[in-house]
């Protein structure tokens, strides 16, 4: 079959290359039209319990997609005329930004900020800043009144910092721009926040701090533009390494051109299918490129081996095509399935990533296994090249002969024992690996980034911030004036306020207690929920901002739980506490539902990744087992190919635990890719082992010969790719730096496993379960 395909492909090589060239030209046109896209809804796990709650009450509850802007004097407090004039202008400018839900804009200047107090004359409810006061006419007496209103209204820690050195403006975002009716351009909004807000108001007197999804995704996109520079460095290092290996500019060009061609086709197809490139998936094209280089080097390795043995360019290309078509196709198919399993996670952003990566890898079958050998078949090599490549190969073969001693029986047993010990330690150490962010702030950005600096500052000065987990409480009608219900929810609020990581709980029961004390001259003895229905109705009626704590029919009483940070452990602790209280304290007719708020969304994403990780890996291994079984029809081959991958995967988890890298949307594809790269190494080496086994040689000799043929290409590819991605460690984006470190480790550890553990396993299995050679192989063995 392979011989037939070889003759068919090379017989029409001019036609095939012409068609591929035309496709590439058209692909370039569409590839350059691909745009970076982002959206809040792309983060939502479809069908998850928390997201069903979020979607059901999306129009009634807020806090999931919010921006917060804080104005902070560089010296002194906020209680002066100049600050409030600047603060007023800042509020107005935020009001008119695209995508802002204007009714939700909240600051001391907005009419939705009111305070309520009980006086000897009755209930007094006023705006914190009276409508009669303007920024230009503000007097010292007005400032004193505003300060008093802020304190009495309970806005300290909410809109005004605890130390009176900053004030906040917050607003909800809509996923579409009301002024245009189009989908909200988050990158444009992030740019406006920077240019029209920060640059306008930040000076030698004031600091402006901005946090929220729109700002973080904008900062990530800005950092992603710098990714191009790291790609360029990695590309140049790869090009230099391939040249040093092949000793030919033509072969270097062909290898890199084939890998880049598939990336161009990938971008074109994504554009035609209506997809964009998410900032968090910006590294995927390079991963696809890296896979192409891995397969390309294997092709070049066989080509140079054939040419140094006296073959012509076409003969060498044909041998490379036929020799690598099966293991290359198997490896790429496994990688496609690996990336395809990401689609099991019902998050639109991850599914887009799965489609992006799978398309890119599938195209490698054409560009690297077919196009590259066809291009090489037209090259002409002089005697000088043959001499250079022969000398280089002789040096490499000496190194491979030394490494081949791994397959000696005694050495194999030692290698396997050491590997099993390391595997046991890795399994034990990685048992506590975390899903989600392990550091405060936005995990995709570095700790010292402006966004994370702003986030820490706001968290330290305000009791509430961006990290909001909303528990939706469904109740019977008029529950807000039902003492048993409010008492039950009061116990829930108190329970949650004492959970580690929770900074503040805002709920109707807590507000009612304060209101009731107000009706009784502020006496703290009365700071409780009235049992009398009329007294309870009176207390509820005067709760400030009650619309955020209950709906009109009193069937929805949301509890707003503010967390100190967005760490996975903080979120998981709060969610577990809600579930525990719900399970141990049931009340008929009252339903505590998780969850809304941006931390509710993040909790859903973390849970989906955690639940999907094992099924994904199992599907990848099912495909590997099936392909190895069908191709080699030997259970020993299945174990020899799969166990080294398993070892490498758990060593990778251990590495993540040591460096405190959580399993996130950014790092999950790396672990899937690691399995794909490991399969490349395993298949290429085992394919040659199986070939020599069929000739009747023993397993030790087979591995030594396989190492001479493909070992150096495997080692070289791993080192080259590891050096290229290691430069990412210096990126301004933390998720790129984490991926660079993780990829560097996984490239190297998979290579080490392939050239040590794989042969050791094969030798030990052959010692314990000697294989029965087929008749032809037995005759070949006798001939040897």
């Amino acid at each position: 079959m392979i011989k037939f395909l070889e003759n068919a492909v090379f017989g029409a090589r001019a036609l095939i290359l012409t068609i591929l060239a035309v496709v590439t030209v058209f692909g370039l046109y569409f590839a350059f039209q691909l745009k970076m896209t982002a959206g809040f809804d792309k983060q939502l796990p479809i069908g998850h319990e928390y997201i069903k709650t979020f979607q059901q009450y999306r129009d009634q509850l807020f806090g999931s997609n919010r921006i917060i802007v804080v104005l902070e004097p560089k010296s002194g407090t906020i209680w002066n005329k100049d600050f409030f004039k600047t603060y007023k202008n800042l509020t107005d400018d935020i009001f008119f930004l695209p995508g802002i839900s204007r009714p939700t804009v909240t600051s001391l200047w907005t009419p939705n900020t009111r305070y309520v107090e009980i006086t000897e004359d009755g209930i007094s409810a006023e705006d914190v800043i009276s409508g009669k006061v303007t920024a230009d006419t503000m007097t010292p007496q007005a400032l004193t009144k505003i300060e008093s209103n802020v304190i009495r209204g309970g806005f300290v820690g909410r809109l005004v910092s605890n130390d009176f050195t900053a004030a906040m403006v917050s607003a909800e975002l809509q996923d579409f721009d009301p002024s245009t009716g189009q989908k909200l351009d988050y990158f444009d909004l992030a740019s406006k926040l920077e240019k029209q807000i920060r640059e306008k108001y930040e000076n030698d007197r004031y600091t402006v701090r901005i946090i929220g999804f729109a700002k973080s995704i904008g900062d990530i996109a800005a950092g992603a533009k710098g990714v191009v520079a790291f790609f360029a460095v990695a590309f140049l290092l790869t090009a230099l390494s391939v040249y040093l290996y092949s000793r030919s500019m033509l072969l270097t060009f062909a290898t890199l051109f084939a890998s880049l061609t598939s990336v161009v086709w990938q971008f074109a197809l994504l554009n035609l299918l209506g997809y964009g490139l998410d900032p968090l998936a910006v590294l995927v094209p390079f991963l696809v490129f890296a896979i192409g280089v891995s397969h390309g080097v294997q092709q070049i390795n066989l080509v140079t081996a054939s040419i140094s043995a006296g073959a012509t360019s076409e003969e060498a290309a044909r041998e490379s095509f036929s020799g690598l078509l099966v293991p290359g196709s198997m490896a790429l198919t496994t990688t496609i399935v690996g990336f395809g399993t990401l689609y099991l996670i019902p998050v639109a952003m991850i599914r887009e990533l799965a489609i992006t990566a799978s398309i890119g890898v599938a195209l490698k079958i054409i560009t690297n296994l077919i196009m590259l050998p066809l291009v090489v078949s037209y090259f002409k090599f002089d005697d000088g090249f043959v001499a250079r490549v022969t000398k280089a190969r002789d040096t490499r073969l000496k190194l491979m002969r030394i490494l081949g001693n791994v397959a000696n029986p005694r050495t194999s047993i030692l290698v396997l024992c050491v590997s099993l010990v390391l595997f046991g330690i890795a399994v034990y150490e990685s048992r506590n690996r975390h899903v989600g962010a392990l550091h405060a702030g936005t995990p995709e950005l570095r700790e010292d980034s402006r966004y994370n600096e702003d986030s820490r500052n706001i968290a330290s000065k305000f009791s509430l911030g961006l990290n909001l987990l909303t528990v939706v409480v469904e109740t019977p009608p008029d529950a807000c004036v039902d003492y048993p219900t409010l008492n039950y929810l009061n116990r829930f609020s108190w329970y949650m306020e004492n959970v580690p990581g929770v900074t503040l709980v805002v709920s109707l029961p807590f507000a009612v207690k304060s209101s009731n004390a107000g009706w009784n001259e502020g006496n703290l003895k009365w700071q409780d929920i009235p049992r009398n229905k009329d007294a309870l109705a009176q207390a509820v009626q005067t709760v400030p901002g009650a619309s955020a704590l209950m709906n009109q029919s009193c069937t929805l009483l949301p509890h707003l739980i503010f967390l100190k940070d967005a760490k996975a452990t903080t979120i998981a602790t709060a969610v577990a506490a809600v579930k525990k209280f719900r399970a141990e304290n049931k009340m008929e007719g009252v339903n505590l539902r998780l969850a809304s708020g941006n931390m509710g969304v993040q909790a859903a994403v973390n849970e989906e990744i955690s639940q999907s990780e094992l099924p994904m890996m199992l599907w990848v291994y099912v495909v590997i087992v099936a392909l190895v079984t069908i191709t080699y029809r030997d259970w020993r081959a299945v174990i020899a190919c799969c166990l080294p991958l398993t070892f490498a995967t758990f060593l990778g988890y251990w590495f993540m635990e040591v460096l405190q890298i959580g399993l996130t949307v950014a790092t999950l594809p790396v672990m899937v890719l690691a399995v794909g790269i490991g399969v490349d190494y395993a298949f290429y080496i085992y394919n040659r082992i199986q070939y020599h086994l069929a000739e009747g040689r023993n397993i030790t000799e087979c591995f030594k010969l396989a190492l001479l043929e493909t070992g150096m290409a495997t080692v070289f590819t791993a080192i080259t790719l590891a050096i290229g991605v290691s430069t990412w460690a210096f990126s301004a984006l933390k998720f790129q730096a984490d991926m660079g470190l993780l990829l560097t480790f996984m490239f190297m550890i998979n290579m080490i496993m392939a050239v040590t553990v794989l042969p050791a396993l094969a030798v030990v299995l052959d010692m314990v379960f000697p294989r029965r050679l087929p008749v032809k192989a037995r005759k070949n063995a006798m001939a040897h």
Side-chain angles (χ1 to χ4, degrees), residues 480-596:
C480 54
V481 290
D482 180 62
Y483 174 77
T485 301
L486 285 191
N487 186 50
Y488 169 78
L489 295 179
N490 177 54
R491 288 192 290 114
F492 173 64
S493 299
W494 176 252
Y495 177 82
M496 291 305 302
E497 197 165 51
N498 288 277
V499 171
V502 174
T503 60
L504 179 70
V505 174
V506 178
S507 67
L508 184 63
F510 277 9
V512 164
K513 290 197 294 184
S514 297
S515 176
N516 188 52
W519 279 103
N520 292 275
E521 300 177 347
N523 193 320
L524 294 180
K525 291 182 179 181
W526 289 91
Q527 194 164 358
D528 202 353
I529 300 172
R531 295 173 182 267
N532 180 275
K533 192 168 186 177
D534 292 333
L536 182 54
Q538 175 182 262
V540 169
Q541 188 179 4
T542 54
V543 167
S547 59
L549 303 178
M550 61 183 181
N551 64 357
Q552 195 168 7
S553 60
C554 286
T555 57
L556 176 65
L557 310 180
H559 281 48
L560 312 181
I561 302 169
F562 291 90
L563 308 182
K564 68 176 182 179
D565 54 51
K567 291 182 183 179
T569 48
T570 305
I571 298 172
T573 300
V575 169
V578 174
K579 291 180 177 179
K580 181 180 180 182
F581 183 90
R582 184 171 64 183
E584 296 177 355
N585 302 272
K586 296 183 180 297
M587 182 175 184
E588 186 178 353
V590 178
N591 186 18
L592 304 180
R593 290 183 60 179
L594 287 163
S596 186

Side-chain angles (χ1 to χ4, degrees), residues 96-118:
F96 291 105
L97 286 173
I100 294 291
S101 175
R102 293 177 180 176
T104 67
V105 177
T106 305
S107 84
L108 295 181
W109 278 105
T110 54
N112 55 3
T113 306
R114 296 172 63 82
Y115 81 98
V116 177
E117 67 175 345
I118 310 300

Side-chain angles (χ1 to χ4, degrees), residues 69-71 74 86 90 93-94 97 188-210 215 219 222 450 454:
V69 182
V70 169
L71 185 66
K74 291 190 175 179
T86 307
L90 173 67
D93 284 352
I94 291 173
L97 286 173
D188 176 65
L189 176 58
S191 176
K192 285 183 167 61
L193 284 169
E194 196 65 35
K195 293 179 180 179
Q196 298 180 14
I197 301 298
R198 196 194 300 275
E199 290 182 9
K200 181 177 179 180
Y201 292 100
E202 188 164 271
N203 48 44
D204 57 350
R205 291 177 298 164
Y206 298 109
T207 298
V208 176
R209 305 190 184 279
I210 309 173
K215 190 67 180 75
D219 287 359
R450 178 60 191 271
D454 288 351

